[in-house]
Amino acid sequence: MPDIVEVVQEIAEEMRQRPDRGEVATYIPELAGVDPNQFGLAVIDTEGHVAAAGDCDVPFSIQSVSKVFTLTLALGKVGDRLWSRVGREPSGSAFNSIVQLEYEHGIPRNPFINAGAIAVTDVILSGHKPREALGEILRFMRFLADDPAIAIDEAVAASEQRTGFRNAALANYMKSYGVLENPVDYTLGVYFHHCALAMSCRQLAMAGRFLAQRGKHPVTGLSVVQPERARRINAVMLTCGHYDGSGEFAYRVGLPGKSGVGGGILAIAPGKASIAVWSPGLDASGNSHLGRIALEALTRRMGWSIFGA
Ligand code: GLN
């Protein structure tokens, strides 16, 4: 087996030199100014060994990667009843698409497209004030990553709050079908703020570890979720984690993964490792361009694809 520390260094060096870097997201003004030349990679195996390179300690906006963790929290709160509020099929459309919602009576296709993640956020919010719900999400991230320094970037949250007209449309549409229980502004406020969590690759890989090790917290050994639930969250990541690029990601990388428009991807090699990669430039589906290429190289060299070497 190749040495993971060397492989991670090699890949970071290869990615640093590539001229094709994708396009940084501009629809959230605060993200438009991020330097596209950054690249970070962190791999943490189930024994806790870390291999990290490049800008692996630079915090970035995790955006939709947060949806893995809000899905975990909502399942913990209401269990499988969640699936009456949101589906678990790939959407085959863009992350912020509106068209499917009308055909499907306000029930989003899956928890990772924006509409689905807004519905999941609404579940977490019910029975709480927005501030309490956000506190719960933040505490969960700090607990998983074993790092009390993790914070929300208020400038990014405010930037999206000012310009998130498309998400407001999705939320209002779902509200008209009774899919959202809380005031639309409250649900959107919590959603924008958890998307604005700032984390480094190292912190994000740490936070994802429970999904690589049958639901167990890596430091305390406590059960974060049951093994069956970890397996199912991984399944939804594989089929829906990259929107209409999910098929291509499975084909090239072969791991459950979740992307965000900040350019981060969390990928899980079950039983082996949790991997976080970050490069801000995106492809046409809104997924990190070099992030995907780096993960493809990593799984090929390590033989980690869940579909075989
Ligand atoms: N906060 C972003 C949005 O709602 C998240 C989208 C993403 O990362 N794909 O548009």
Side-chain angles (χ1 to χ4, degrees):
M1 163 104 56
D3 178 33
I4 181 68
V5 173
E6 274 170 31
V7 169
V8 164
Q9 291 291 349
E10 271 164 31
I11 292 174
E13 185 54 27
E14 285 161 25
M15 295 304 127
R16 197 179 63 76
Q17 290 175 10
R18 280 182 78 118
D20 55 323
R21 307 200 74 87
E23 300 293 327
V24 172
T26 52
Y27 77 97
I28 301 175
E30 195 68 21
L31 296 183
V34 176
D35 175 6
N37 292 313
Q38 300 175 91
F39 177 88
L41 177 60
V43 179
I44 310 186
D45 72 14
T46 48
E47 276 151 29
H49 302 125
V50 182
D55 300 306
C56 56
D57 289 309
V58 178
F60 61 91
S61 191
I62 71 166
Q63 291 296 322
S64 288
V65 185
S66 63
K67 296 170 182 176
V68 173
F69 304 98
T70 49
L71 171 64
T72 306
L73 279 175
L75 283 169
K77 187 171 176 189
V78 300
D80 284 338
R81 278 183 293 139
L82 182 71
W83 302 118
S84 63
R85 302 269 292 273
V86 58
R88 46 174 190 260
E89 291 293 346
S91 67
S93 49
F95 64 88
N96 56 4
S97 171
I98 290 179
V99 65
Q100 223 163 30
L101 262 188
E102 180 162 19
Y103 288 124
E104 299 179 359
H105 311 291
I107 305 285
R109 263 294 169 96
N110 68 62
F112 292 154
I113 53 173
N114 285 11
I118 293 167
V120 165
T121 300
D122 187 74
V123 168
I124 296 173
L125 176 57
S126 287
H128 299 284
K129 296 195 169 69
R131 191 183 295 271
E132 295 164 349
L134 256 183
E136 190 185 343
I137 296 168
L138 190 55
R139 273 193 301 279
F140 188 52
M141 299 310 293
R142 290 172 172 171
F143 161 70
L144 290 177
D146 194 33
D147 191 339
I150 291 169
I152 289 169
D153 185 331
E154 287 293 338
V156 172
S159 178
E160 193 170 7
Q161 200 124 31
R162 274 195 306 277
T163 56
F165 304 112
R166 179 81 73 111
N167 285 322
L170 292 166
N172 278 294
Y173 197 76
M174 288 189 286
K175 183 78 179 170
S176 78
Y177 277 100
V179 172
L180 301 188
E181 286 177 352
N182 299 283
V184 165
D185 286 354
Y186 286 15
T187 302
L188 282 175
V190 176
Y191 171 79
F192 292 143
H193 278 79
H194 72 64
C195 287
L197 274 158
M199 293 172 72
S200 67
C201 287
R202 197 186 293 268
Q203 290 168 327
L204 189 57
M206 188 70 182
R209 272 180 73 189
F210 74 102
L211 292 171
Q213 41 199 72
R214 297 167 52 81
K216 281 222 179 340
H217 187 282
V219 179
T220 62
L222 295 173
S223 168
V224 179
V225 296
Q226 291 299 309
E228 179 181 69
R229 182 156 289 161
R231 170 164 61 77
R232 289 182 158 160
I233 293 169
N234 284 335
V236 182
M237 287 171 75
L238 181 79
T239 52
C240 309
H242 283 71
Y243 316 111
D244 46 346
S246 298
E248 185 71 3
F249 189 81
Y251 180 84
R252 293 191 176 278
V253 177
L255 294 179
K258 181 74 208 81
S259 68
V261 292
I265 302 176
L266 172 67
I268 304 298
K272 298 193 172 71
S274 170
I275 306 154
V277 64
W278 170 56
S279 178
L282 308 178
D283 64 18
S285 304
N287 303 315
S288 176
H289 173 69
L290 288 185
R292 201 263 293 141
I293 292 172
L295 287 171
E296 183 177 0
L298 181 73
T299 51
R300 185 185 292 125
R301 288 176 213 181
M302 299 306 295
W304 277 354
S305 165
I306 60 170
F307 301 109

